[in-house]
Structures are given as structure tokens and as C-alpha cells.
Amino acid sequence: MTQVLPAGSLDGKVALVTGSSRGIGADTVRYFAEAGADVVINYRNKAPRAEKLATQLRELGVRALVVGADLTDPDSVASMLEQVRSEFGRLDILVLNASGGMESGMGEDYALTLNRDAQLSVLKTAEPLLGDGSRVVFVTSHQAHFIRTTPTMPEYEPVARSKRAGEDALRELIPGLAEKGIGFTVVSGDMIEGTITATLLNRLNPGAIAERRESAGRLYNVSEFAAEVAQAAIDPVPADNTRLVGDTSDFTAE
């Protein structure tokens, strides 16, 4: 990984990335720390991995708070944000990265609970800590963002629709956030090489990654996409509150 945000550009800032013990979330929180931000690493059940990442980031001279939380449990979310308040007193960047729905053994409403309800819960609970000039970034996929106009793989459709429901619900909060000086950006990416979701889809639909790579010309990897997510937290908010990453020629805009 190479540093993508200017050194010192986030000095004195505090950033929380949900689902940041691994993958896109971990790389995003690393970029913030490299730019000088104190960070909050959130995980659901991978405490050792989260602690290892925190140890690495502290070597950069920043503070790193590790907080386990089940985002589908409002009490757990409230406890996480209370720890942030106690440790830092505020929050400047909130990245809503954690998502799912393809896990086995979960209830049929789990995808909607995690990808819509939990996202709203985290943002609303964090809002008192977010001040003027702070930023919220919601991470999604083209397959979800464009699901109302462009079909996706049947295996992924329930997750895609739940993530779009989450995006829609969050967008309804934009006017109220803007009144408080809180910027909101949706970052939508094409299929990302090396993510758990892409691996699962490829297992269910062999050749899916190769087919999408050929159609798009190239696919972003985890660190490349994380760099776009991190950049979205400091770049001006787009007029439509949307940052599209990767090829969109096969997707139909609404």
C-alpha cells in the first residue's frame, strides 16, 4: 500500500470505519491513520486481527481505539459510540463500510437488518458526535446502487436490494445532515478483486469475476478501492452525493 492522503492532512481528526478489522475497511482506516487521524477500528468477531491492526497504526503516532460491536444491536452500537465519546469526545469521519447478507445460517431478514437498519442506527447514534465540517461515507457496490435498473446475479439480488434500501434510507437524512454541516457521500464500486463477497459470488457462479473483469476492462483491488473511499472523506461532496468507482458502462442510470 502507498499513502494516498497527504501526510498530516487529517492531523487532529478522528475517524471511525465500521467493519475495519480486515479488507476494505482495514485499508481505509490505515489510510486515515497514515494521514494523521486518530482512528476507531470496529469489528464484529475478529478481535485479535483488529488489535494487531491497531498496534501497527499506533506505530504511526496516532491513537487507535478498538471496539467490538454487533451493528444490528442498538445497545451494542450505543456502547461503541459511547466509547468513542469517552476516548475522543467527537467524530470527524464516519465510514459506513460493514455490510453482508450472504453469510450462512442467518435469518432471511438479516441482510435488510444489517444493510439498512444497522446503517441508520450507526449514523443516528453517531450524529451527536459529528460536528460542522465532518463527513459520512456509505460504501456500496454498483450491483446494489443500480439494482433498480440493472439486474445482478440471482445469488446476490437480495443483498443488492437490501444495500440499495440502506442507501435510500440514508439519503433521506442528507438535508438534515447538511443543515448541521455534515457532508454525506455514497461510494459505489464495481466488483472488487479479493473481497469476501466477490469470492462467494464466484464460488456460487464460477467465472463471475473473470467475466466482469473482461467486461469492465479491469477491476479495482481492495487497497485501490479503499483509497477511493478514504479520498471521498476529504474531497468535496459531489453534487449528487455519489462517487462512482470503476466501469459503469454496463449499468443503466435511473
Side-chain angles (χ1 to χ4, degrees):
M1 288 175 61
T2 57
Q3 184 165 330
V4 299
L5 303 181
S9 59
L10 293 179
D11 282 354
K13 302 293 187 181
V14 180
L16 163 61
V17 181
T18 62
S20 49
S21 68
R22 64 183 178 187
I24 293 166
D27 281 3
T28 301
V29 87
R30 186 185 298 276
Y31 288 135
F32 289 151
E34 288 176 344
D38 293 325
V39 295
V40 184
I41 300 168
N42 159 249
Y43 68 93
R44 186 176 65 181
N45 54 18
K46 301 292 183 182
R49 190 158 51 190
E51 291 289 357
K52 181 180 179 180
L53 175 61
T55 298
Q56 294 172 352
L57 300 187
R58 290 178 188 128
E59 292 175 357
L60 299 172
V62 303
R63 289 187 288 172
L65 175 66
V66 178
V67 187
D70 176 356
L71 302 186
T72 66
D73 178 355
D75 290 340
S76 187
V77 170
S79 175
M80 175 175 69
L81 272 304
E82 175 55 31
Q83 290 183 64
V84 175
R85 188 201 64 76
S86 177
E87 180 74 17
F88 299 115
R90 68 178 212 287
L91 196 56
D92 300 289
I93 297 171
L94 171 63
V95 177
L96 299 169
N97 166 71
S99 64
M102 296 190 69
E103 300 88 342
S104 59
M106 309 303 281
E108 63 179 69
D109 62 344
Y110 177 70
L112 199 59
T113 300
L114 176 59
N115 296 329
R116 182 193 63 188
D117 302 346
Q119 308 302 317
L120 285 170
S121 172
V122 173
L123 177 51
K124 289 182 176 179
T125 308
E127 194 171 332
L129 295 174
L130 294 164
D132 187 13
S134 60
R135 301 294 290 276
V136 178
V137 177
F138 175 66
V139 181
T140 189
S141 66
H142 291 350
Q143 288 75 16
H145 180 68
F146 293 102
I147 188 60
R148 293 200 291 256
T149 55
T150 307
T152 188
M153 288 173 273
E155 300 89 348
Y156 189 63
E157 183 168 346
V159 175
R161 291 197 177 280
S162 70
K163 283 184 70 67
R164 181 67 217 206
E167 178 182 337
D168 290 342
L170 290 166
R171 284 182 181 275
E172 290 181 6
L173 303 180
I174 289 175
L177 294 173
E179 286 180 6
K180 298 178 180 180
I182 303 170
F184 179 89
T185 300
V186 171
V187 178
S188 176
D190 201 349
M191 193 178 287
I192 309 299
E193 301 253 24
T195 60
I196 294 173
T197 298
T199 301
L200 286 173
L201 286 172
N202 205 58
R203 191 177 300 159
L204 293 167
N205 193 348
I209 292 177
E211 182 179 333
R212 181 62 199 144
R213 187 189 304 116
E214 182 177 351
S215 177
R218 72 175 288 260
L219 296 178
Y220 281 63
N221 62 33
V222 168
S223 63
E224 289 172 331
F225 183 64
E228 294 285 342
V229 173
Q231 197 70 47
I234 65 170
D235 282 354
V237 175
D240 62 354
N241 299 88
T242 308
R243 186 185 186 104
L244 299 175
V245 180
D247 182 66
T248 59
S249 60
D250 290 341
F251 297 91
T252 303
E254 294 184 319

